[in-house]
Amino acid sequence: MAPETSSPERLTGDTVIIGRTEPEPTRQPTRWKINAPRVLLGFALLIIVVAPVALAVISGSISIPHNDAWSYSRIAQEFGRTGEIHLLGWNRSALVGQIVVLGPLAASITAQQIFVALLAGVAVLACYDLLAPSIGRLPASVAALVLAVWPELGLLGTSFMSDVPALAATLGCLALGRRALTGSSLPLLAGALTVGLWGVAIREQVLAAPVAVLLAALTSSPTPVRRGALSWRWSVLALGAAFGAGLLAFEWWRRSLAGDDPPAPLPDGPVLPDVLDVGVRGYFLLAIAVAPAVLAVARPWRWSPAALLVAAGTGALALLVWHDYHLSGFLMSDYLLPSGPYPAVFRGERSMIGESVLRVLVLLAMVSGVLLAGLVVERGRRLPPLLRWFTLFTVGGLLATRAAGQTVFGRYLIVLVPVLLLIVLARREEPSGSPERAESSGAGDRVRRGFPLGRAGVLAGIAAGTFLAALSLFVTAYGSALDAARWHAGERLVAEGVPAAEIDAGFEWSGYYSPDGVEYAPKGAVLLNWYSTKFARNPPCFAVASSAQSEPNWRLVRTVDYREYVVAGNARLWVYETGHCAPR
C-alpha cells in the first residue's frame, strides 16, 4: 500500500503532521464585547460636558458671565488676581468654595466655566458610583445618562452659577459616604465630610448631604469584625465634631465679609400656599427629569391597590395644577420657559419653546408624575437610610426656604433626581411562586434588577430620553447664542467709545460693569427695568434689546444679526440710544 503523501493542495488551509493531513481547528470569529455601562457613561459625558462646551466655545459665551454669575465671576476674578474676597451684594449662596479651589485660574472667566463643565461630568460619574451597588452597574449608568439629559444642566454647566458645583459636591459627598458606610472606613468618611464642607462653602443647601452621612454612620453597624460598634460611633462623633467646627469657622468668617446680601424680607402673608406651590410644581418638574426611566419600567397593572390609589390621586392633582397654571406656568423652571432661559435678565420679547413642545413637556410631566407616584409607593422602602436622611433634609430645607420668603428655583431640585432614579430602577423581588418569578426563572438577574422590561416601555423611555436630550441641546444652543450676542453688541459700543457702565446689554452686563456691585437706586431715579433698581447710577445711555422697542425718545442705532442656535437659525438684536446720555 502506497504511503500517504501531502499534496500541495493540502498544504493550504490544513496542518500537515508526519505525512498525514488533519483539519486545522476552526477559527472563531472575533467578538467585540461592548461594555454597556461604559458606553452609556460615555454618552452621558458627551451630552453634559463635550456638547455644551463646544457650543459655548463656538458662540463665544464661554468667556462671558451668565445670569446671576456676573457677581460670582467678578468676585472670582478679583480673588485670582489679588487673593482677596470682596463680595458685591449679589451672592446669596456661600459661593466661596467654588472660587478658592481655582487659585490664580479664577482670574479667567473661561477657566471658571471650563471648571464647572468638568464638575458636571464629576456629578454624572458620582451619580453612577452612588447608585451602582443598589441597582447594578447597567441601571446605574442609565440613571447617570438620564441625569445628564436634563435640559437645564447644559447651560448651567457652561456658566459659573453655583448649581452644578453644588450638585457635584452633594453627589460626591454621598458617593464617598456610601463607600465609607459599606466598608466602615473612617478615611473615606473623613473624605465625604471634607467634600461636604467644601460643598457647603458653595451653597448652604449641600449641608443635607454631610449631615445625612453622619446620621447614617451613627445609626449603622460597622462591617469589619475588627472594629467594635462603640469605637466606630466615637470615631464618627469625633469626625462630626471636626466637621461642625469647620462649618462654624467658615460661617463666622463669611459673615464678617462686607458686601453680603441683605437679609431677605419675611413674608407678610400666609406662607402655606407658596410652600404647597413649590412642593407640587417641583414634584412634576422632577417627574420630567426621571421620565425616561419611569416610562421604561412602570407596570401599573402589577401594582398594589395602595400604589394605584396614590397614582390616581396624583393624576387628579396634575389636573388641578393644569387648571390653575395652564401651559405657561406649569413648569417650575426659569430655564424651560416659552421665552427661553432666564428672560427677565434682558430687555425684549422672544419665543424659544413653541406651544406644541410645551404641551409635550407638560404631558410628560403629568404622565410621568402619575407613574412615579405609584413606583414610589411600590419601591420607596428600598431607599437606603443614607438617601432617606438626605431626601428628608433636602426637601425640608427647600420648603423652609420658601416659607422664609426666599425664591426656590427648579434647578435647586436637581440633587433629588438620583434619589428618585434609585427608587424607579430599584431591584424588585417578586413574591415566591408568583407568575412573574416563574416566567423569569433561569434569568434571575432580570428579576433582581427589576426587569424584564416591556418593549413598549423601553421604546417610550428611549423616546422621552431622546426628546429631553434634544431639548437640552436646543436650550443650551439658544441660551449660549443669545447671551453671547447681547454681550458682543455691548462690546461693540465700548469699542466705539461708550463707557461700559452706560450700556444696558442685560442684567449680567449691568452688574459686571457696575462701579460697586449692587447699590440700590434712590427714590425718584429713572428706572428702565427691574434691575435698574440694583445699581445706583444714571440710567443707561444705550440699551440692547431682543425685540423692537417703542420707548419715547429712544433712537435706533443699529440692528445686529446672529445665529439663533450657534450654528443654525437667524435672529436679531436691536441697539438703541435711550436719550439719557450724560454730557461728555
Side-chain angles (χ1 to χ4, degrees):
M1 188 175 183
E4 295 181 4
T5 59
S6 299
S7 65
E9 290 80 2
R10 289 190 174 184
L11 290 174
T12 304
D14 292 334
T15 301
V16 181
I17 302 178
I18 315 178
R20 297 182 59 185
T21 60
E22 294 184 1
E24 187 179 40
T26 304
R27 293 183 179 179
Q28 296 293 331
T30 302
R31 293 184 179 180
W32 295 96
K33 292 184 178 180
I34 298 176
N35 189 315
R38 290 186 179 181
V39 171
L40 292 177
L41 288 174
F43 273 118
L45 294 176
L46 180 67
I47 292 169
I48 197 63
V49 178
V50 178
V53 169
L55 290 170
V57 169
I58 295 171
S59 66
S61 69
I62 195 68
S63 59
I64 65 172
H66 302 267
N67 203 354
D68 294 331
W70 68 265
S71 173
Y72 310 165
S73 286
R74 186 168 156 181
I75 295 168
Q77 284 185 298
E78 184 170 0
F79 173 80
R81 290 190 293 262
T82 67
E84 298 178 356
I85 297 288
H86 294 287
L87 304 182
L88 296 169
W90 196 261
N91 35 262
R92 180 74 61 191
S93 298
L95 183 67
V96 177
Q98 73 187 61
I99 293 175
V100 296
V101 295
L102 286 171
L105 290 176
S108 165
I109 292 180
T110 300
Q112 296 171 15
Q113 297 181 158
I114 291 292
F115 170 66
V116 174
L118 294 176
L119 286 181
V122 170
V124 166
L125 296 177
C127 173
Y128 169 81
D129 187 74
L130 175 64
L131 303 188
S134 298
I135 61 177
R137 294 176 61 242
L138 180 57
S141 60
V142 171
L145 181 59
V146 171
L147 174 65
V149 301
W150 177 235
E152 292 184 335
L153 277 179
L155 204 51
L156 286 169
T158 49
S159 75
F160 205 52
M161 297 282 285
S162 62
D163 301 274
V164 167
L167 175 66
T170 298
L171 296 183
C173 174
L174 293 173
L176 284 173
R178 190 271 308 164
R179 286 177 173 267
L181 295 173
T182 301
S184 294
S185 169
L186 290 175
L188 283 177
L189 182 60
L193 296 178
T194 301
V195 173
L197 183 59
W198 173 66
V200 176
I202 296 171
R203 177 183 283 176
E204 291 89 341
Q205 177 191 356
V206 179
L207 183 62
V211 171
V213 169
L214 280 171
L215 285 175
L218 285 172
T219 56
S220 67
S221 298
T223 50
V225 178
R226 67 177 183 275
R227 190 189 304 279
L230 187 60
S231 63
W232 165 257
R233 288 187 173 85
W234 277 112
S235 299
V236 172
L237 285 173
L239 288 174
F243 171 80
L247 179 62
L248 289 175
F250 168 74
E251 281 297 315
W252 176 83
W253 170 79
R254 190 177 76 89
R255 300 297 177 185
S256 70
L257 296 175
D260 198 7
D261 289 20
L266 294 175
D268 55 3
V271 299
L272 184 59
D274 293 334
V275 172
L276 290 177
D277 173 78
V278 167
V280 173
R281 290 202 299 144
Y283 169 80
F284 285 109
L285 185 66
L286 285 171
I288 296 177
V290 299
V294 169
L295 296 180
V297 306
R299 288 184 163 189
W301 56 89
R302 295 183 178 177
W303 288 351
S304 65
L308 291 172
L309 183 62
V310 170
T314 305
L317 184 62
L319 293 176
L320 285 175
V321 177
W322 170 277
H323 178 269
D324 288 347
Y325 290 97
H326 304 290
L327 277 177
S328 59
F330 193 97
L331 303 179
M332 195 183 79
S333 172
D334 59 338
Y335 278 61
L336 297 178
L337 293 172
S339 50
Y342 42 87
V345 304
F346 56 88
R347 174 178 291 273
E349 300 293 332
R350 300 302 297 268
S351 178
M352 181 190 74
I353 299 178
E355 185 172 321
S356 58
V357 175
L358 197 59
R359 287 184 183 278
V360 172
L361 270 174
V362 172
L363 179 62
L364 191 61
M366 296 173 72
V367 173
S368 178
V370 169
L371 296 175
L372 176 61
L375 287 169
V376 169
V377 174
E378 288 287 287
R379 304 182 181 186
R381 291 186 297 273
R382 299 188 181 278
L383 199 62
L386 169 62
L387 294 184
R388 290 184 188 179
W389 285 117
F390 170 71
T391 303
L392 176 65
F393 293 136
T394 299
V395 173
L398 289 172
L399 296 180
T401 298
R402 189 67 191 100
Q406 297 186 35
T407 302
V408 173
F409 294 102
R411 59 183 187 271
Y412 296 176
L413 306 178
I414 298 174
V415 294
L416 294 172
V417 171
V419 177
L420 290 175
L421 288 170
L422 188 148
I423 294 174
V424 171
L425 299 170
R427 302 175 182 182
R428 184 185 67 244
E429 294 287 356
E430 303 291 357
S432 178
S434 68
E436 290 81 5
R437 179 176 288 277
E439 69 189 29
S440 297
S441 60
D445 186 63
R446 296 195 302 171
V447 176
R448 291 195 306 273
R449 305 298 184 189
F451 296 101
L453 300 175
R455 180 177 298 176
V458 170
L459 292 177
I462 292 174
T466 303
F467 171 72
L468 291 178
L471 184 60
S472 176
L473 188 66
F474 182 81
V475 171
T476 304
Y478 182 93
S480 297
L482 178 56
D483 287 358
R486 290 187 289 113
W487 195 270
H488 295 156
E491 288 180 331
R492 180 175 174 182
L493 289 170
V494 171
E496 294 170 351
V498 181
E502 296 184 11
I503 300 169
D504 175 10
F507 174 58
E508 311 97 319
W509 178 283
S510 298
Y512 187 79
Y513 286 110
S514 60
D516 301 303
V518 172
E519 185 179 351
Y520 289 91
K523 291 183 178 180
V526 178
L527 305 177
L528 298 185
N529 45 47
W530 69 270
Y531 52 84
S532 293
T533 64
K534 312 297 181 186
F535 311 111
R537 52 180 168 79
N538 294 327
C541 177
F542 289 85
V544 180
S546 61
S547 61
Q549 304 293 297
S550 57
E551 299 287 344
N553 301 321
W554 281 31
R555 180 180 67 84
L556 180 63
V557 176
R558 69 174 66 94
T559 59
V560 178
D561 294 326
Y562 69 97
R563 291 290 189 184
E564 191 169 20
Y565 303 105
V566 180
V567 295
N570 296 306
R572 174 169 292 179
L573 297 177
W574 284 256
V575 180
Y576 292 92
E577 185 178 358
T578 65
H580 296 290
C581 297
R584 290 187 174 83

